[in-house]
Amino acid sequence: MERASLSAPEEAGEEALRAIIEEILALPSAGPLLPRDLDRVLRGHPKEGRGFYSKREILRAFRREPARYAASEEEFAERLRTCPTRSQSGVLPVTVLTKPFPCPGRCVFCPDDVRMPKSYLSDEPGCQRAEANQFDPYRQAWSRLLAYREMGHRTDKVELIVLGGTWSSYPERYQRWFVARLFEALNDFGAGRDARAEAAAEHGEESAADGRAGWARVEAAQRANEEAGARCVGLALETRPDHVDDAEVLRLRRLGATKVQLGLQSLDDAVLAANQRGHDVECSRQALARLRAAGFKLHAHWMPNLVGATPASDRRDFTRLFADPGLCPDELKVYPCSLLETAPLMRIHADGGWRPYEHEELVELLAACLPEVPAWCRVTRVIRDIPSPDIVAGNRQTNLREVVEARVRAGERALREIRAREIRQERIERRDLTLRVRAYASRTGEERFLEWQTADERIAAFARLTLPSEEPGVPELAGRALLREVHVYGPAAALGERDRTRPQHAGLGADLVSEAARLAAAAGYGHLAVISAVGTRPWYRRLGFEDGPLYQHLPLGS
Ligand code: SF4
């Protein structure tokens, strides 16, 4: 193999990297490595006086001489992918931030960093990445995908998560431009084209760029993404309940959103008022009902330890989340309130109007709450990842979730929520799974949670079906049952890959859709509508769905 000549230390490094690659390939098991195995290999070949080689360096060394090894680059990257937290759900999350922009909210706990969109702090890791990319959506998404690929992750199925203040309060032309640029980044990345330099130039003339971002540009980028190498299989936007009206629901959908993150924060009007949230609980119910009736996945935020709350009142508040049919979110982030330097809460704290819960109070509260989360809800977070130096008072323990879950287990209680039951990297056989349907009521109608589960109730795939009881605000959905989500677990697999021991490729998703269609037909609906992500539209077409203006529809026949 011809290579540029290397210096003696480089040659020694190259030899060490080759040895690392050979040893990794010689390890017995298939699939991703166990972190301890990789650790052992790396420790056997330290860099001279400079720690250990990174996965990125190892993968680059493989790419320099691919013909030398008895594995393809794809197989090797798969082995190297020890990190279970990024693509274990089959989809790669790419989080981007909007530009700094004022928020219409006046929440007393919310920090104010002029360099960031409202509520974000400039030393949070995601914020630093956004700032380094000048908040340009194209550069943020492209660079993140590149970093993932260099770590050995597959990048063909991407969930885009847009964070920053209240999305719905940004000018519509900015929203269109931002989302069009995200899809364009995915399309270019998948095609091996890097237009980050041009993106920076366009970002420099943002007002002109905004002017050019009509709906036609958004829709063209979305159409191109349907067959792109990096497809958007989910788009999440975040907003406030009092900004969700029928027009906003349609706009979110037109942008391609499939999930909405909504700050509920409390389910007690007195607590909402004391924290100057600017809306009441009924407003949260109405926003959730509008979004659910339009098929969105609902990701709620709830905050214990707000002004006016106590551990006992928070315990009651949490029960309302799932006992009130007007709430019942699909996913939940729990953010215990912390005192941050730039938040108005500083003054309230100084005047004795708020105190942070003691560590033990917080652990006990959360350990009492989490077992109450139903089997159809996923708890995505138990703390917000705020850098410790920014926290004046409040929880600083970054592994609080582990501590809380250990407390739950010590009390011999079980967690039923989805995240505690996901099969993660495990390979499973189809014959070991059974399909279970759980029913519950929402303000919109009847909900059905369909899940493929193992004998011990671990979850391999699920779908969310809504059987609405009222006419929806979106005319296209009149009289239709709604498929709000289909999710299959397992390591992110390449589009088109076949492996019957991986749930993504054992037909579990298609079977969930057929079962949802059967349930909808049995309930008297003539059509099943799905809120498909742009990159999943071809898959639904193959299952018989027809394109509508904003959704896809399956005629249920007789
Ligand atoms: S709505 Fe959200 S971003 Fe706006 S002030 Fe309240 S917490 Fe902060």
Side-chain angles (χ1 to χ4, degrees), residues 267 314-324 369 372:
L267 309 166
D314 274 335
R315 183 73 189 81
R316 293 192 294 276
D317 210 59
F318 194 84
T319 300
R320 290 181 202 118
L321 256 182
F322 301 104
D324 183 338
C369 290
E372 265 190 19

Side-chain angles (χ1 to χ4, degrees), residues 179-238:
V179 167
R181 292 306 280 144
L182 283 178
F183 281 110
E184 288 164 4
L186 263 57
N187 297 343
D188 283 358
F189 188 85
R193 178 169 181 265
D194 180 359
R196 279 177 292 174
E198 293 156 39
E202 183 178 13
H203 194 64
E205 326 156 7
E206 194 175 285
S207 52
D210 288 353
R212 286 201 297 274
W215 282 109
R217 179 173 173 181
V218 176
E219 285 156 10
Q222 290 174 340
R223 272 195 305 279
N225 190 254
E226 287 185 13
E227 300 296 339
R231 286 187 209 167
C232 172
V233 299
L235 170 61
L237 299 171
E238 68 175 348

